[in-house]
Amino acid sequence: DQQVKQNSPSLSVQEGRISILNCDYTNSMFDYFLWYKKYPAEGPTFLISISSIKDKNEDGRFTVFLNKSAKHLSLHIVPSQPGDSAVYFCAAFTGGFKTIFGAGTRLFVKA
Amino acid sequence: DVKVTQSSRYLVKRTGEKVFLECVQDMDHENMFWYRQDPGLGLRLIYFSYDVKMKEKGDIPEGYSVSREKKERFSLILESASTNQTSMYLCASSGQGATEEKLFFGSGTQLSVL
């Protein structure tokens, strides 16, 4: 049973518009979340993170929102660019060396 | 620039072969990890190591073993490869201790077992 769920396998967005990638988790004890980005033929790279003591974290065009009561987080990319086309993994760091990943969402940004 | 290097980009092996996947990091990290990535399943942890010669099972250790003889090197071993071990294998490292959240990944090894 997946503890971190990304229910949209893919998302297509026009260049310049907002991309919203969603992630749900089941364990209310999770308190640190990360987003990783993966291009083909490369390993995932860290993008942005958020601690459960916050509900928003922003880094340039990327913002992550956390709704603890709903056990939901989302990644917003504004404005979207063709170079953002990649697979995005949501992850929960559980402590004790363990990170649990979602299945990933493939983002296509059309020029 | 920090780097995690996996020795092979693609590997093709036969069922029953012993397979070694090698990973080296140059960041002086204590923690190293092996994940496999499968469509629809995301990344799943196979084994990790928090120190030289120390290893711990992850979520899917069956059919795998690991070796960490030096701090910078972490090897994944498939004792007798099977077709259900066809996958993308990703090595990662993180700093020190159990609270290091950020992982640094290698480029991956696509293993096909025929």
Side-chain angles (χ1 to χ4, degrees):
Chain A
D1 190 27
Q2 286 192 307
Q3 297 185 67
V4 177
K5 299 177 184 178
Q6 295 177 257
N7 292 318
S8 298
S10 65
L11 174 68
S12 185
V13 171
Q14 199 68 36
E15 181 180 8
R17 306 296 291 269
I18 184 171
S19 295
I20 300 176
L21 293 85
N22 293 303
C23 178
D24 297 295
Y25 59 96
T26 58
N27 191 334
S28 58
M29 297 299 290
F30 291 166
D31 61 3
Y32 197 88
F33 302 90
L34 308 97
W35 285 91
Y36 289 84
K37 177 178 179 179
K38 185 181 185 301
Y39 291 118
E42 295 183 14
T45 55
F46 169 76
L47 183 60
I48 193 169
S49 62
I50 189 166
S51 165
S52 61
I53 62 173
K54 295 185 174 182
D55 54 17
K56 176 182 174 181
N57 189 26
E58 196 169 351
D59 183 1
R61 296 186 296 113
F62 301 91
T63 303
V64 57
F65 295 92
L66 176 62
N67 182 333
K68 290 187 290 292
S69 61
K71 298 196 198 67
H72 177 84
L73 61 156
S74 60
L75 174 68
H76 292 210
I77 306 173
V78 183
S80 301
Q81 299 173 354
D84 296 329
S85 297
V87 176
Y88 290 80
F89 290 100
C90 173
F93 179 72
T94 66
F97 307 98
K98 293 275 189 85
T99 302
I100 299 174
F101 288 85
T105 296
R106 185 178 297 276
L107 174 66
F108 300 92
V109 180
K110 297 175 288 187
Chain B
D1 202 13
V2 297
K3 207 159 186 182
V4 179
T5 303
Q6 295 183 230
S7 55
S8 303
R9 184 74 187 95
Y10 298 97
L11 274 180
V12 180
K13 297 292 181 180
R14 296 235 176 252
T15 302
E17 278 193 77
K18 191 169 186 176
V19 181
F20 293 86
L21 302 183
E22 306 287 345
C23 175
V24 176
Q25 52 95 2
D26 65 0
M27 295 168 280
D28 200 33
H29 281 171
E30 300 284 344
N31 308 325
M32 295 189 75
F33 306 81
W34 277 104
Y35 287 87
R36 62 178 281 177
Q37 181 195 351
D38 298 290
L41 296 177
L43 282 68
R44 293 179 292 164
L45 181 63
I46 305 171
Y47 265 97
F48 67 96
S49 168
Y50 54 87
D51 200 354
V52 175
K53 297 193 184 294
M54 305 303 291
K55 58 187 179 184
E56 294 284 344
K57 293 179 180 179
D59 299 316
I60 51 164
E62 296 79 17
Y64 304 94
S65 62
V66 290
S67 172
R68 189 147 181 223
E69 297 295 320
K70 293 185 177 181
K71 187 177 184 180
E72 67 271 17
R73 188 178 296 270
F74 192 35
S75 302
L76 180 70
I77 303 153
L78 286 67
E79 296 290 343
S80 176
S82 63
T83 55
N84 62 11
Q85 293 178 309
T86 291
S87 185
M88 169 67 78
Y89 289 87
L90 291 160
C91 176
S93 70
S94 67
Q96 181 177 349
T99 57
E100 280 289 333
E101 310 95 355
K102 192 186 301 183
L103 295 168
F104 296 85
F105 285 89
S107 296
T109 297
Q110 179 63 52
L111 173 66
S112 296
V113 182
L114 307 178

